[in-house]
Amino acid sequence: METLLPFKPVELGDRAAIERRTIPSGLTNCDLAFANMYCWQESYRSEWCEVDGLLVIRFRIDGGERIGYMQPVGTGDFTRILPLLEADAAAHDQPLRLIGLTDEAAAALPDDGRFVRYADRDFADYLYRREELCRLGGRHYQPKRNHINRFLAAWPDYRYEPLTERHFAACLELDERWCHRHEGADDEAAVLAERRAIRRAFAAFDALGLRGGCLFAEERLVAFTYGSAINPETFDIHVEKADTRYEGAFAMINRLFAEQLPDTVRFINREEDLGIEGLRRAKLSYYPALLPDKVRALRLGAGEQACKRLWESCFPEDDPLFVDRFLLGHYLRRRMLAARSGEAIVAMLHRIPFDSEAGRMSYLYAVATDPAHRGRGHASRLVEEAVRAALAEGDAALFLIAADEGLRAFYRRFGFEGDIPVRFHTPDGFDFGTGDPTRDRAMLLRLDPSIPLPERLDCHLTE
């Protein structure tokens, strides 16, 4: 695919060139740790280049089709290269998406009305003072001390060792047990992706500058952790695993490893919670010193501006921030079908790919026609076009949620049927439903007649 900038995949030999920019930057974003870029390469396909003295990282958001650009790192005003980044994104038929901006960087973007910004709490990094994780002093850390004391009482002969190559096999065995416990869970794909990242880390542990620790009880590995420096004062924890049958193992490995880090490390970054309720509770229970925003920004092109205008006209009850979240996280130009009157877009629908028990499906989302142009067949033609596109891509079915009985009657004309409870699973928690799960009931158009009409739909975003 054509590109304007000399991006190349992140490889092990690129560490020095990339860290030459990231380490002195003072930025604390866990995504700027070289080991994260390299170890998650299979998922995010990270690439890098230098543009006018600035390091730029380009990657696939959530491993899908949408391209994101990390905040450029280097000296001087990074906004000077925005036109180049926008042209590079346009070469991929995408708008410019900037990911992981600090609040200051987001504020520096041009104030011309074409940038939308969104700080997603689910992706905020948790930064802790290393000294506090070592001491666990004060009443608020009493539960952690209780966990540690129970571990010490049960396994007084525990031992801690720095993580080295001779521990890798035992760590992978512990991780495999962890993965088995998550089979069938909503986050199973993420668990398997992390497993691949761990294997990649172990294959180049020293070359990546990783350091870690292992906790043993009864001569058995019960916990391990590892990470790397983001900058001289901030160390990032990439992985922490423990056998939960050993009460207090997580609290023990957490404190013991913090104690082993150099005194120059002031902060420990334990990365995001991704909106996972249990993970959020666990991270908050250690009382982070900082939760810095990682702002996402989208440069609206003509298509995105037209989409937003039509959306706000047809769905005035939707919060503008909700529309921005869709544009930032899920909009793709090639998946928006549009009808035009002259240069204006007067009708649209978005074809969003999901996997389900019945196979790959297209979800017809935000179907809208400008009130002044209704009754002219625009929506019908777009639905027919969506059916042809789904057939060409081998989809098993299309589905949608109709807002009322009048729209249900309209979609029956195309063969949509059923009143099927549907549940959406997305990496960023975006709600593709109605906002009320009890009203999320789908109609289905089966493109493969051999597929039975399901009793319910569990749909996982595949883009």
Side-chain angles (χ1 to χ4, degrees):
M1 183 176 291
E2 180 186 359
T3 182
L4 298 177
L5 297 176
F7 282 101
K8 56 176 259 182
V10 172
E11 298 175 348
L12 192 58
D14 298 325
R15 179 186 166 195
I18 289 175
E19 289 189 343
R20 182 168 63 92
R21 299 292 184 188
T22 59
I23 293 291
S25 71
L27 296 172
T28 61
N29 186 340
C30 68
D31 299 316
L32 291 175
F34 177 80
N36 270 339
M37 298 180 204
Y38 177 80
C39 293
W40 289 86
Q41 176 77 346
E42 185 174 341
S43 296
Y44 299 108
R45 290 174 279 171
S46 297
E47 301 172 290
W48 73 284
C49 70
E50 287 197 291
V51 184
D52 195 15
L54 295 169
L55 170 72
V56 181
I57 305 296
R58 184 177 73 185
F59 68 102
R60 300 285 175 162
I61 299 172
D62 299 324
E65 294 183 60
R66 288 167 297 110
I67 294 172
Y69 299 80
M70 294 294 298
Q71 176 176 326
V73 181
T75 56
D77 180 5
F78 78 91
T79 63
R80 68 182 185 268
I81 68 166
L82 290 179
L84 292 174
L85 299 185
E86 186 172 9
D88 187 77
H92 296 77
D93 194 29
Q94 296 203 26
L96 173 61
R97 289 182 172 88
L98 297 170
I99 310 295
L101 299 172
T102 63
D103 288 332
E104 295 77 12
L109 296 175
D111 188 18
D112 58 6
R114 286 187 56 203
F115 268 109
V116 297
R117 302 163 179 82
Y118 176 64
D120 194 332
R121 169 67 177 80
D122 295 350
F123 293 94
D125 283 344
Y126 286 73
L127 270 69
Y128 306 84
R129 290 188 175 87
R130 185 184 71 87
E131 182 182 354
E132 290 187 6
L133 295 187
C134 292
R135 290 189 302 105
L136 296 178
R139 294 180 59 185
H140 57 295
Y141 281 120
Q142 186 63 54
K144 300 303 178 187
R145 297 197 299 273
N146 290 342
H147 283 303
I148 288 173
N149 289 336
R150 283 193 283 270
F151 183 92
L152 292 172
W155 298 284
D157 295 328
Y158 82 92
R159 76 176 189 277
Y160 173 89
E161 296 180 1
L163 176 58
T164 64
E165 183 177 358
R166 67 190 182 90
H167 301 113
F168 292 168
C171 292
L172 290 172
E173 182 182 342
L174 191 157
D175 183 58
E176 185 173 357
R177 294 197 301 272
W178 177 284
C179 289
H180 284 321
R181 288 197 296 273
H182 285 77
E183 283 181 348
D186 287 350
D187 61 349
E188 183 177 359
V191 169
L192 294 176
E194 183 185 52
R195 188 178 186 187
R196 292 192 297 269
I198 291 172
R199 290 180 178 275
R200 195 167 168 89
F202 285 171
F205 198 79
D206 293 334
L208 288 168
L210 295 168
R211 62 188 299 164
C214 297
L215 178 65
F216 293 84
E218 300 175 322
E219 297 304 314
R220 178 188 181 93
L221 179 74
V222 298
F224 74 92
T225 187
Y226 66 81
S228 67
I230 305 174
N231 63 52
E233 294 188 338
T234 309
F235 190 91
D236 185 50
I237 301 295
H238 302 322
V239 168
E240 183 180 87
K241 300 283 185 182
D243 188 332
T244 54
R245 294 174 299 178
Y246 292 78
E247 184 181 0
F250 269 117
M252 279 292 291
I253 192 70
N254 189 317
R255 186 178 74 175
L256 289 169
F257 186 60
E259 291 173 346
Q260 304 305 311
L261 290 173
D263 290 340
T264 52
V265 173
R266 295 181 57 221
F267 292 99
I268 294 177
N269 185 331
R270 297 185 62 81
E271 304 194 350
E272 316 103 324
D273 63 36
L274 304 177
I276 301 169
E277 184 178 348
L279 190 56
R280 178 165 295 185
R281 284 198 305 270
K283 290 181 183 289
L284 288 173
S285 71
Y286 276 97
Y287 299 93
L290 299 168
L291 274 168
D293 285 334
K294 290 195 288 191
V295 180
R296 300 184 172 204
L298 172 71
R299 183 73 163 169
L300 298 176
E304 292 77 47
Q305 293 179 69
C307 172
K308 186 172 183 177
R309 284 194 298 268
L310 184 58
W311 193 310
E312 292 173 343
S313 171
C314 296
F315 308 114
E317 69 280 6
D318 283 349
D319 187 329
L321 183 58
F322 179 82
V323 185
D324 292 346
R325 282 194 66 192
F326 171 76
L327 291 170
L328 274 162
H330 302 284
Y331 168 86
L332 274 174
R333 288 173 179 170
R334 74 178 190 84
R335 292 197 172 276
M336 185 180 87
L337 306 181
R340 288 175 169 78
S341 176
E343 295 298 316
I345 293 178
V346 297
M348 68 177 181
L349 66 76
H350 301 265
R351 221 167 38 87
I352 312 295
F354 281 90
D355 275 336
S356 73
E357 299 89 335
R360 186 182 184 277
M361 298 183 176
S362 281
Y363 177 45
L364 304 192
Y365 182 62
V367 184
T369 303
D370 187 310
H373 291 266
R374 290 174 183 167
R376 304 181 189 183
H378 294 310
S380 295
R381 287 190 287 274
L382 292 181
V383 171
E384 290 167 353
E385 185 178 347
V387 171
R388 289 193 295 271
L391 281 167
E393 293 185 8
D395 285 355
L398 294 91
F399 71 105
L400 52 83
I401 297 175
D404 54 45
E405 186 53 42
L407 286 172
R408 291 180 64 84
F410 170 75
Y411 288 116
R412 286 192 196 101
R413 291 164 32 197
F414 300 93
F416 285 89
E417 58 185 325
D419 185 37
I420 307 164
V422 58
R423 184 182 177 195
F424 297 98
H425 305 270
T426 61
D428 62 353
F430 184 83
D431 184 5
F432 275 102
T434 61
D436 178 358
T438 64
R439 295 175 53 224
D440 290 347
R441 306 187 70 87
M443 300 181 73
L444 195 72
L445 172 60
R446 292 174 287 177
L447 302 179
D448 181 348
S450 68
I451 297 173
L453 200 65
E455 293 184 359
R456 64 190 301 273
L457 284 173
D458 259 309
C459 297
H460 296 262
L461 190 69
T462 62
E463 62 179 5

